[in-house]
Amino acid sequence: MASKTTYKNKAGNLSMDVKTLCLGVLYQGEASGYEIKKAFEEGPFSHFQDASFGSIYPALGRLSSEGLVDCTQMAQEKRPDKKVYKLTSKGNNALITSILVPPAPDKFTSDFFFVLYFAELLPVAQVTLLIDQRIAFYKNILERMSECDITSVTAGRQLCHGLGLTVYQSSLEYLQKHRDSFLQKLPSQNITSTTSNRHAS
Amino acid sequence: MASKTTYKNKAGNLSMDVKTLCLGVLYQGEASGYEIKKAFEEGPFSHFQDASFGSIYPALGRLSSEGLVDCTQMAQEKRPDKKVYKLTSKGNNALITSILVPPAPDKFTSDFFFVLYFAELLPVAQVTLLIDQRIAFYKNILERMSECDITSVTAGRQLCHGLGLTVYQSSLEYLQKHRDSFLQKLPSQNITSTTSNRHAS
DNA sequence: AGGGACATGTAATTAGTTACATGATTGT
DNA sequence: ACAATCATGTAACTAATTACATGTCCCT
């Protein structure tokens, strides 16, 4: 049972692969590969999952040959043809099976945090820019998220949305609150490069 | 100029690789490969970066041959020998150069969120467990983080710590606040598998 | 006698990204 | 004329993970 190699994470669980991700998007309604990509870029999945064309199209091909999705070629006016994929009941069950296993731990990788960690090594102007861009980023995301209507979506989706909002909102507030005092704490005479031997106080 | 292939992200920036990550850990003080691993597992980097032995050891080897770190073999009593790596001034500059480029966007991948998104497909007991484990996870991490003393560390590190605390704290509060009402909103008669055709309201 | 922490390293395998290839239509 | 959006797909490439290999000491 269980498909061929089936990847295991540290906890021994199966990881969500692009195939499962596509099933999830398709559970919400039929879509083309291009539209699935958009769900990961701008849609509600964009905050916690990602996939590129190079992985989506082969995944849809495999799902199709496994009978988990149906594919319909659609001719469009003034647009290229598209292949619309639809979840089959077998695909529906496959999605349920996938989310039934305990989820793998979150993976968060942030170069922003890494750079911020070593802020004392950078010119103050650069750190200021870094933080201001991050503040702008949070503001932008919060604006877009509060615009979308979640009154008629599932409870799970609402909770995800609310959790996301909370995280972004509190991050924004924290940064805004500590920005000035943080920048003042940084050495005004930053070492941008070359010789530097002032490790101790 | 610029090392051989140099990877580029969507924004055209160079990504932090394991080599740079090691330089960052080593900036804080000399360490062995094993100790660097621990920094990503339990240390302050554990919240936003990760690396495994299979990438750390080869990275240290390359850093050594490039003159960015010095390696000293250390014999230990009742412990295997260890190789202690130390940042050279060339390595110090390499770290600065790396953090000078605009950081790549964060990558957050969460199977928890994905599963939560489809909570209506799961038995209520399973969703309850999922949320309670997540609450326990946040509590645990918050406890460990508040234990550690950050009074004598750099401003950047303090800000990272504070931002992390805020995110975990607000996530915990949100989940605790909405847990009960969310679980009540779920259909008590969950579909665990097989036939199910109630897509519309 | 078995598991866990300490300690270093290599090899196989992987899923995924980036870049390429192609082409119509619409807006600037 | 050029970039952007729509649309699908393949090939090359990569960094990194997992699993393997080896060994000591300590605790239960």
mmCIF file of all heavy atoms in Angstrom, chain A residues 32-34 54 57 76 79-83 85, chain D residues 5-12 16-19:
data_model
loop_
_atom_site.group_PDB
_atom_site.id
_atom_site.type_symbol
_atom_site.label_atom_id
_atom_site.label_comp_id
_atom_site.label_asym_id
_atom_site.label_seq_id
_atom_site.Cartn_x
_atom_site.Cartn_y
_atom_site.Cartn_z
ATOM 1 N N SER A 32 -7.321 25.103 -13.608
ATOM 2 C CA SER A 32 -6.219 24.721 -14.492
ATOM 3 C C SER A 32 -4.899 24.812 -13.728
ATOM 4 O O SER A 32 -4.861 25.337 -12.617
ATOM 5 C CB SER A 32 -6.184 25.667 -15.682
ATOM 6 O OG SER A 32 -5.842 26.971 -15.245
ATOM 7 N N GLY A 33 -3.843 24.290 -14.322
ATOM 8 C CA GLY A 33 -2.529 24.361 -13.699
ATOM 9 C C GLY A 33 -2.142 25.800 -13.403
ATOM 10 O O GLY A 33 -1.613 26.109 -12.326
ATOM 11 N N TYR A 34 -2.439 26.648 -14.333
ATOM 12 C CA TYR A 34 -2.125 28.072 -14.192
ATOM 13 C C TYR A 34 -2.876 28.682 -13.011
ATOM 14 O O TYR A 34 -2.321 29.470 -12.246
ATOM 15 C CB TYR A 34 -2.505 28.797 -15.486
ATOM 16 C CG TYR A 34 -1.975 30.200 -15.587
ATOM 17 C CD1 TYR A 34 -0.680 30.433 -16.049
ATOM 18 C CD2 TYR A 34 -2.753 31.287 -15.231
ATOM 19 C CE1 TYR A 34 -0.197 31.722 -16.159
ATOM 20 C CE2 TYR A 34 -2.269 32.577 -15.334
ATOM 21 C CZ TYR A 34 -0.990 32.790 -15.794
ATOM 22 O OH TYR A 34 -0.504 34.063 -15.898
ATOM 23 N N GLY A 54 6.909 24.085 -12.680
ATOM 24 C CA GLY A 54 7.746 22.912 -12.910
ATOM 25 C C GLY A 54 7.384 21.723 -12.046
ATOM 26 O O GLY A 54 7.785 20.597 -12.332
ATOM 27 N N TYR A 57 2.615 21.056 -13.079
ATOM 28 C CA TYR A 57 2.187 20.354 -14.292
ATOM 29 C C TYR A 57 2.502 18.857 -14.251
ATOM 30 O O TYR A 57 1.625 18.039 -14.547
ATOM 31 C CB TYR A 57 2.782 21.028 -15.534
ATOM 32 C CG TYR A 57 2.092 22.348 -15.868
ATOM 33 C CD1 TYR A 57 2.790 23.541 -15.906
ATOM 34 C CD2 TYR A 57 0.726 22.374 -16.128
ATOM 35 C CE1 TYR A 57 2.150 24.737 -16.202
ATOM 36 C CE2 TYR A 57 0.078 23.564 -16.430
ATOM 37 C CZ TYR A 57 0.798 24.750 -16.471
ATOM 38 O OH TYR A 57 0.161 25.928 -16.768
ATOM 39 N N GLN A 76 -10.828 28.444 -25.458
ATOM 40 C CA GLN A 76 -11.229 29.756 -24.988
ATOM 41 C C GLN A 76 -11.115 30.790 -26.101
ATOM 42 O O GLN A 76 -10.243 30.700 -26.948
ATOM 43 C CB GLN A 76 -10.336 30.206 -23.828
ATOM 44 C CG GLN A 76 -10.560 29.494 -22.534
ATOM 45 C CD GLN A 76 -9.644 30.058 -21.460
ATOM 46 O OE1 GLN A 76 -10.095 30.585 -20.471
ATOM 47 N NE2 GLN A 76 -8.354 29.971 -21.679
ATOM 48 N N ARG A 79 -7.882 33.503 -25.808
ATOM 49 C CA ARG A 79 -6.988 32.992 -24.758
ATOM 50 C C ARG A 79 -6.509 31.618 -25.213
ATOM 51 O O ARG A 79 -7.233 30.927 -25.948
ATOM 52 C CB ARG A 79 -7.717 32.820 -23.425
ATOM 53 C CG ARG A 79 -8.027 34.085 -22.686
ATOM 54 C CD ARG A 79 -6.951 34.356 -21.640
ATOM 55 N NE ARG A 79 -7.183 35.638 -20.998
ATOM 56 C CZ ARG A 79 -6.890 36.796 -21.556
ATOM 57 N NH1 ARG A 79 -6.363 36.836 -22.769
ATOM 58 N NH2 ARG A 79 -7.105 37.912 -20.906
ATOM 59 N N PRO A 80 -5.350 31.197 -24.779
ATOM 60 C CA PRO A 80 -4.919 29.844 -25.157
ATOM 61 C C PRO A 80 -5.870 28.808 -24.554
ATOM 62 O O PRO A 80 -6.551 29.082 -23.570
ATOM 63 C CB PRO A 80 -3.532 29.737 -24.512
ATOM 64 C CG PRO A 80 -3.101 31.120 -24.229
ATOM 65 C CD PRO A 80 -4.354 31.900 -23.977
ATOM 66 N N ASP A 81 -5.899 27.646 -25.158
ATOM 67 C CA ASP A 81 -6.682 26.549 -24.575
ATOM 68 C C ASP A 81 -6.230 26.304 -23.157
ATOM 69 O O ASP A 81 -5.078 26.553 -22.813
ATOM 70 C CB ASP A 81 -6.448 25.251 -25.377
ATOM 71 C CG ASP A 81 -7.103 25.321 -26.738
ATOM 72 O OD1 ASP A 81 -7.676 26.376 -27.068
ATOM 73 O OD2 ASP A 81 -7.022 24.321 -27.476
ATOM 74 N N LYS A 82 -7.139 25.804 -22.338
ATOM 75 C CA LYS A 82 -6.668 25.383 -21.022
ATOM 76 C C LYS A 82 -7.224 24.025 -20.656
ATOM 77 O O LYS A 82 -8.254 23.599 -21.157
ATOM 78 C CB LYS A 82 -7.008 26.416 -19.962
ATOM 79 C CG LYS A 82 -8.457 26.698 -19.699
ATOM 80 C CD LYS A 82 -8.564 27.459 -18.368
ATOM 81 C CE LYS A 82 -9.768 28.370 -18.316
ATOM 82 N NZ LYS A 82 -9.857 29.040 -17.009
ATOM 83 N N LYS A 83 -6.487 23.361 -19.773
ATOM 84 C CA LYS A 83 -6.918 22.055 -19.288
ATOM 85 C C LYS A 83 -7.466 22.235 -17.881
ATOM 86 O O LYS A 83 -6.723 22.588 -16.963
ATOM 87 C CB LYS A 83 -5.736 21.099 -19.249
ATOM 88 C CG LYS A 83 -5.234 20.686 -20.607
ATOM 89 C CD LYS A 83 -4.117 19.669 -20.449
ATOM 90 C CE LYS A 83 -3.631 19.167 -21.786
ATOM 91 N NZ LYS A 83 -2.491 18.228 -21.619
ATOM 92 N N TYR A 85 -8.878 20.828 -14.508
ATOM 93 C CA TYR A 85 -8.836 19.605 -13.705
ATOM 94 C C TYR A 85 -9.904 19.642 -12.624
ATOM 95 O O TYR A 85 -10.186 20.686 -12.043
ATOM 96 C CB TYR A 85 -7.465 19.447 -13.058
ATOM 97 C CG TYR A 85 -6.367 19.209 -14.065
ATOM 98 C CD1 TYR A 85 -5.686 20.277 -14.652
ATOM 99 C CD2 TYR A 85 -6.021 17.914 -14.441
ATOM 100 C CE1 TYR A 85 -4.688 20.061 -15.580
ATOM 101 C CE2 TYR A 85 -5.019 17.684 -15.370
ATOM 102 C CZ TYR A 85 -4.356 18.766 -15.940
ATOM 103 O OH TYR A 85 -3.367 18.548 -16.858
ATOM 104 P P DT D 5 1.377 40.997 -14.776
ATOM 105 O OP1 DT D 5 0.736 41.670 -13.644
ATOM 106 O OP2 DT D 5 2.568 40.134 -14.581
ATOM 107 O "O5'" DT D 5 0.270 40.115 -15.531
ATOM 108 C "C5'" DT D 5 -0.927 40.728 -15.993
ATOM 109 C "C4'" DT D 5 -1.691 39.739 -16.860
ATOM 110 O "O4'" DT D 5 -1.003 39.540 -18.118
ATOM 111 C "C3'" DT D 5 -1.834 38.344 -16.229
ATOM 112 O "O3'" DT D 5 -3.206 38.007 -16.200
ATOM 113 C "C2'" DT D 5 -1.017 37.437 -17.148
ATOM 114 C "C1'" DT D 5 -1.110 38.184 -18.473
ATOM 115 N N1 DT D 5 -0.043 37.871 -19.481
ATOM 116 C C2 DT D 5 -0.431 37.561 -20.772
ATOM 117 O O2 DT D 5 -1.604 37.533 -21.124
ATOM 118 N N3 DT D 5 0.597 37.284 -21.643
ATOM 119 C C4 DT D 5 1.951 37.285 -21.350
ATOM 120 O O4 DT D 5 2.765 37.019 -22.228
ATOM 121 C C5 DT D 5 2.290 37.616 -19.982
ATOM 122 C C7 DT D 5 3.735 37.626 -19.567
ATOM 123 C C6 DT D 5 1.295 37.890 -19.126
ATOM 124 P P DC D 6 -3.743 36.693 -15.636
ATOM 125 O OP1 DC D 6 -5.120 36.951 -15.170
ATOM 126 O OP2 DC D 6 -2.733 36.139 -14.706
ATOM 127 O "O5'" DC D 6 -3.803 35.735 -16.904
ATOM 128 C "C5'" DC D 6 -4.842 35.876 -17.878
ATOM 129 C "C4'" DC D 6 -4.559 34.928 -19.022
ATOM 130 O "O4'" DC D 6 -3.222 35.174 -19.505
ATOM 131 C "C3'" DC D 6 -4.595 33.446 -18.630
ATOM 132 O "O3'" DC D 6 -5.642 32.793 -19.323
ATOM 133 C "C2'" DC D 6 -3.226 32.905 -19.035
ATOM 134 C "C1'" DC D 6 -2.717 33.958 -20.024
ATOM 135 N N1 DC D 6 -1.233 34.028 -20.099
ATOM 136 C C2 DC D 6 -0.606 33.757 -21.328
ATOM 137 O O2 DC D 6 -1.298 33.487 -22.313
ATOM 138 N N3 DC D 6 0.749 33.805 -21.390
ATOM 139 C C4 DC D 6 1.467 34.105 -20.306
ATOM 140 N N4 DC D 6 2.806 34.141 -20.427
ATOM 141 C C5 DC D 6 0.850 34.396 -19.047
ATOM 142 C C6 DC D 6 -0.498 34.347 -18.993
ATOM 143 P P DA D 7 -6.211 31.451 -18.834
ATOM 144 O OP1 DA D 7 -7.347 31.134 -19.691
ATOM 145 O OP2 DA D 7 -6.405 31.536 -17.372
ATOM 146 O "O5'" DA D 7 -4.987 30.450 -19.108
ATOM 147 C "C5'" DA D 7 -4.924 29.774 -20.354
ATOM 148 C "C4'" DA D 7 -3.620 29.044 -20.580
ATOM 149 O "O4'" DA D 7 -2.504 29.944 -20.813
ATOM 150 C "C3'" DA D 7 -3.061 28.150 -19.465
ATOM 151 O "O3'" DA D 7 -3.713 26.882 -19.494
ATOM 152 C "C2'" DA D 7 -1.582 28.013 -19.889
ATOM 153 C "C1'" DA D 7 -1.386 29.087 -20.935
ATOM 154 N N9 DA D 7 -0.135 29.828 -20.737
ATOM 155 C C8 DA D 7 0.196 30.684 -19.719
ATOM 156 N N7 DA D 7 1.427 31.152 -19.781
ATOM 157 C C5 DA D 7 1.941 30.548 -20.916
ATOM 158 C C6 DA D 7 3.213 30.614 -21.548
ATOM 159 N N6 DA D 7 4.225 31.356 -21.093
ATOM 160 N N1 DA D 7 3.398 29.876 -22.675
ATOM 161 C C2 DA D 7 2.398 29.127 -23.132
ATOM 162 N N3 DA D 7 1.159 28.993 -22.633
ATOM 163 C C4 DA D 7 0.995 29.728 -21.522
ATOM 164 P P DT D 8 -3.248 25.691 -18.555
ATOM 165 O OP1 DT D 8 -4.335 24.702 -18.587
ATOM 166 O OP2 DT D 8 -2.768 26.237 -17.270
ATOM 167 O "O5'" DT D 8 -2.002 25.090 -19.336
ATOM 168 C "C5'" DT D 8 -2.211 24.548 -20.631
ATOM 169 C "C4'" DT D 8 -0.917 23.976 -21.152
ATOM 170 O "O4'" DT D 8 0.082 25.010 -21.227
ATOM 171 C "C3'" DT D 8 -0.318 22.889 -20.261
ATOM 172 O "O3'" DT D 8 -0.258 21.673 -20.994
ATOM 173 C "C2'" DT D 8 1.081 23.406 -19.895
ATOM 174 C "C1'" DT D 8 1.338 24.437 -20.974
ATOM 175 N N1 DT D 8 2.302 25.519 -20.573
ATOM 176 C C2 DT D 8 3.483 25.624 -21.264
ATOM 177 O O2 DT D 8 3.790 24.908 -22.197
ATOM 178 N N3 DT D 8 4.321 26.622 -20.818
ATOM 179 C C4 DT D 8 4.089 27.497 -19.782
ATOM 180 O O4 DT D 8 4.914 28.350 -19.475
ATOM 181 C C5 DT D 8 2.827 27.330 -19.098
ATOM 182 C C7 DT D 8 2.478 28.237 -17.950
ATOM 183 C C6 DT D 8 1.996 26.357 -19.527
ATOM 184 P P DG D 9 -0.120 20.272 -20.283
ATOM 185 O OP1 DG D 9 -0.659 19.221 -21.152
ATOM 186 O OP2 DG D 9 -0.576 20.386 -18.897
ATOM 187 O "O5'" DG D 9 1.468 20.170 -20.273
ATOM 188 C "C5'" DG D 9 2.092 19.993 -21.556
ATOM 189 C "C4'" DG D 9 3.523 20.376 -21.467
ATOM 190 O "O4'" DG D 9 3.711 21.696 -20.929
ATOM 191 C "C3'" DG D 9 4.375 19.533 -20.523
ATOM 192 O "O3'" DG D 9 4.835 18.391 -21.241
ATOM 193 C "C2'" DG D 9 5.534 20.462 -20.183
ATOM 194 C "C1'" DG D 9 5.110 21.795 -20.773
ATOM 195 N N9 DG D 9 5.468 22.943 -19.952
ATOM 196 C C8 DG D 9 4.737 23.548 -18.950
ATOM 197 N N7 DG D 9 5.359 24.564 -18.406
ATOM 198 C C5 DG D 9 6.577 24.631 -19.074
ATOM 199 C C6 DG D 9 7.676 25.520 -18.930
ATOM 200 O O6 DG D 9 7.801 26.458 -18.139
ATOM 201 N N1 DG D 9 8.701 25.225 -19.810
ATOM 202 C C2 DG D 9 8.674 24.200 -20.729
ATOM 203 N N2 DG D 9 9.760 24.064 -21.491
ATOM 204 N N3 DG D 9 7.657 23.367 -20.900
ATOM 205 C C4 DG D 9 6.644 23.634 -20.035
ATOM 206 P P DT D 10 5.788 17.361 -20.444
ATOM 207 O OP1 DT D 10 5.615 16.066 -21.110
ATOM 208 O OP2 DT D 10 5.588 17.489 -18.994
ATOM 209 O "O5'" DT D 10 7.240 17.914 -20.784
ATOM 210 C "C5'" DT D 10 7.604 18.141 -22.142
ATOM 211 C "C4'" DT D 10 9.064 18.559 -22.173
ATOM 212 O "O4'" DT D 10 9.217 19.842 -21.508
ATOM 213 C "C3'" DT D 10 10.019 17.598 -21.463
ATOM 214 O "O3'" DT D 10 11.150 17.423 -22.305
ATOM 215 C "C2'" DT D 10 10.338 18.297 -20.147
ATOM 216 C "C1'" DT D 10 10.231 19.772 -20.529
ATOM 217 N N1 DT D 10 9.842 20.715 -19.419
ATOM 218 C C2 DT D 10 10.647 21.783 -19.155
ATOM 219 O O2 DT D 10 11.684 21.992 -19.756
ATOM 220 N N3 DT D 10 10.207 22.601 -18.146
ATOM 221 C C4 DT D 10 9.052 22.467 -17.402
ATOM 222 O O4 DT D 10 8.762 23.290 -16.536
ATOM 223 C C5 DT D 10 8.234 21.314 -17.731
ATOM 224 C C7 DT D 10 6.967 21.079 -16.974
ATOM 225 C C6 DT D 10 8.660 20.500 -18.708
ATOM 226 P P DA D 11 12.219 16.315 -21.968
ATOM 227 O OP1 DA D 11 12.566 15.666 -23.250
ATOM 228 O OP2 DA D 11 11.775 15.510 -20.807
ATOM 229 O "O5'" DA D 11 13.455 17.213 -21.498
ATOM 230 C "C5'" DA D 11 13.826 18.363 -22.250
ATOM 231 C "C4'" DA D 11 15.022 19.022 -21.594
ATOM 232 O "O4'" DA D 11 14.567 19.900 -20.539
ATOM 233 C "C3'" DA D 11 16.003 18.052 -20.951
ATOM 234 O "O3'" DA D 11 17.318 18.529 -21.208
ATOM 235 C "C2'" DA D 11 15.629 18.085 -19.474
ATOM 236 C "C1'" DA D 11 15.153 19.527 -19.298
ATOM 237 N N9 DA D 11 14.132 19.714 -18.262
ATOM 238 C C8 DA D 11 13.058 18.921 -17.973
ATOM 239 N N7 DA D 11 12.297 19.372 -17.002
ATOM 240 C C5 DA D 11 12.919 20.549 -16.628
ATOM 241 C C6 DA D 11 12.598 21.506 -15.640
ATOM 242 N N6 DA D 11 11.535 21.418 -14.830
ATOM 243 N N1 DA D 11 13.425 22.566 -15.517
ATOM 244 C C2 DA D 11 14.483 22.656 -16.333
ATOM 245 N N3 DA D 11 14.881 21.825 -17.294
ATOM 246 C C4 DA D 11 14.043 20.776 -17.389
ATOM 247 P P DA D 12 18.571 17.731 -20.670
ATOM 248 O OP1 DA D 12 19.543 17.626 -21.784
ATOM 249 O OP2 DA D 12 18.147 16.519 -19.918
ATOM 250 O "O5'" DA D 12 19.131 18.813 -19.636
ATOM 251 C "C5'" DA D 12 19.248 20.181 -20.039
ATOM 252 C "C4'" DA D 12 19.673 21.027 -18.844
ATOM 253 O "O4'" DA D 12 18.573 21.134 -17.906
ATOM 254 C "C3'" DA D 12 20.850 20.445 -18.071
ATOM 255 O "O3'" DA D 12 21.717 21.522 -17.739
ATOM 256 C "C2'" DA D 12 20.192 19.810 -16.843
ATOM 257 C "C1'" DA D 12 19.003 20.728 -16.608
ATOM 258 N N9 DA D 12 17.847 20.106 -15.948
ATOM 259 C C8 DA D 12 17.302 18.877 -16.208
ATOM 260 N N7 DA D 12 16.246 18.597 -15.472
ATOM 261 C C5 DA D 12 16.094 19.725 -14.682
ATOM 262 C C6 DA D 12 15.157 20.062 -13.684
ATOM 263 N N6 DA D 12 14.159 19.266 -13.304
ATOM 264 N N1 DA D 12 15.294 21.266 -13.089
ATOM 265 C C2 DA D 12 16.294 22.074 -13.478
ATOM 266 N N3 DA D 12 17.231 21.867 -14.395
ATOM 267 C C4 DA D 12 17.076 20.659 -14.967
ATOM 268 P P DA D 16 21.948 24.519 0.841
ATOM 269 O OP1 DA D 16 21.448 25.736 1.500
ATOM 270 O OP2 DA D 16 23.392 24.220 0.831
ATOM 271 O "O5'" DA D 16 21.156 23.263 1.434
ATOM 272 C "C5'" DA D 16 19.754 23.175 1.209
ATOM 273 C "C4'" DA D 16 19.277 21.758 1.350
ATOM 274 O "O4'" DA D 16 19.738 20.936 0.261
ATOM 275 C "C3'" DA D 16 19.768 21.069 2.624
ATOM 276 O "O3'" DA D 16 18.674 20.823 3.475
ATOM 277 C "C2'" DA D 16 20.407 19.781 2.140
ATOM 278 C "C1'" DA D 16 19.865 19.609 0.736
ATOM 279 N N9 DA D 16 20.793 18.865 -0.119
ATOM 280 C C8 DA D 16 22.091 19.185 -0.431
ATOM 281 N N7 DA D 16 22.678 18.310 -1.206
ATOM 282 C C5 DA D 16 21.704 17.335 -1.408
ATOM 283 C C6 DA D 16 21.695 16.133 -2.141
ATOM 284 N N6 DA D 16 22.753 15.689 -2.831
ATOM 285 N N1 DA D 16 20.566 15.403 -2.133
ATOM 286 C C2 DA D 16 19.513 15.852 -1.433
ATOM 287 N N3 DA D 16 19.389 16.960 -0.722
ATOM 288 C C4 DA D 16 20.534 17.672 -0.744
ATOM 289 P P DT D 17 18.890 20.234 4.944
ATOM 290 O OP1 DT D 17 18.130 21.107 5.839
ATOM 291 O OP2 DT D 17 20.314 19.955 5.211
ATOM 292 O "O5'" DT D 17 18.129 18.837 4.824
ATOM 293 C "C5'" DT D 17 16.867 18.783 4.155
ATOM 294 C "C4'" DT D 17 16.508 17.329 3.854
ATOM 295 O "O4'" DT D 17 17.415 16.800 2.853
ATOM 296 C "C3'" DT D 17 16.621 16.419 5.079
ATOM 297 O "O3'" DT D 17 15.403 15.678 5.202
ATOM 298 C "C2'" DT D 17 17.846 15.537 4.774
ATOM 299 C "C1'" DT D 17 17.906 15.535 3.254
ATOM 300 N N1 DT D 17 19.289 15.384 2.690
ATOM 301 C C2 DT D 17 19.546 14.370 1.788
ATOM 302 O O2 DT D 17 18.698 13.565 1.445
ATOM 303 N N3 DT D 17 20.830 14.334 1.301
ATOM 304 C C4 DT D 17 21.870 15.189 1.610
ATOM 305 O O4 DT D 17 22.977 15.041 1.099
ATOM 306 C C5 DT D 17 21.544 16.226 2.564
ATOM 307 C C7 DT D 17 22.603 17.197 2.982
ATOM 308 C C6 DT D 17 20.289 16.274 3.052
ATOM 309 P P DT D 18 15.183 14.823 6.549
ATOM 310 O OP1 DT D 18 13.728 14.800 6.749
ATOM 311 O OP2 DT D 18 16.073 15.296 7.624
ATOM 312 O "O5'" DT D 18 15.664 13.365 6.124
ATOM 313 C "C5'" DT D 18 15.141 12.786 4.931
ATOM 314 C "C4'" DT D 18 15.832 11.468 4.637
ATOM 315 O "O4'" DT D 18 17.151 11.721 4.095
ATOM 316 C "C3'" DT D 18 16.016 10.560 5.860
ATOM 317 O "O3'" DT D 18 15.422 9.304 5.546
ATOM 318 C "C2'" DT D 18 17.535 10.508 6.067
ATOM 319 C "C1'" DT D 18 18.084 10.820 4.681
ATOM 320 N N1 DT D 18 19.415 11.518 4.603
ATOM 321 C C2 DT D 18 20.349 11.090 3.671
ATOM 322 O O2 DT D 18 20.157 10.149 2.913
ATOM 323 N N3 DT D 18 21.531 11.803 3.653
ATOM 324 C C4 DT D 18 21.868 12.880 4.464
ATOM 325 O O4 DT D 18 22.954 13.427 4.347
ATOM 326 C C5 DT D 18 20.842 13.273 5.411
ATOM 327 C C7 DT D 18 21.108 14.431 6.321
ATOM 328 C C6 DT D 18 19.692 12.582 5.434
ATOM 329 P P DA D 19 15.471 8.081 6.640
ATOM 330 O OP1 DA D 19 14.266 7.249 6.385
ATOM 331 O OP2 DA D 19 15.736 8.615 7.992
ATOM 332 O "O5'" DA D 19 16.756 7.249 6.167
ATOM 333 C "C5'" DA D 19 16.958 6.999 4.781
ATOM 334 C "C4'" DA D 19 18.306 6.321 4.601
ATOM 335 O "O4'" DA D 19 19.354 7.320 4.592
ATOM 336 C "C3'" DA D 19 18.656 5.320 5.697
ATOM 337 O "O3'" DA D 19 19.120 4.124 5.080
ATOM 338 C "C2'" DA D 19 19.761 6.022 6.495
ATOM 339 C "C1'" DA D 19 20.413 6.887 5.436
ATOM 340 N N9 DA D 19 21.104 8.080 5.938
ATOM 341 C C8 DA D 19 20.665 8.979 6.881
ATOM 342 N N7 DA D 19 21.512 9.952 7.133
ATOM 343 C C5 DA D 19 22.576 9.689 6.299
ATOM 344 C C6 DA D 19 23.819 10.350 6.086
ATOM 345 N N6 DA D 19 24.175 11.467 6.720
ATOM 346 N N1 DA D 19 24.659 9.803 5.182
ATOM 347 C C2 DA D 19 24.290 8.680 4.540
ATOM 348 N N3 DA D 19 23.166 7.969 4.649
ATOM 349 C C4 DA D 19 22.343 8.533 5.551
#
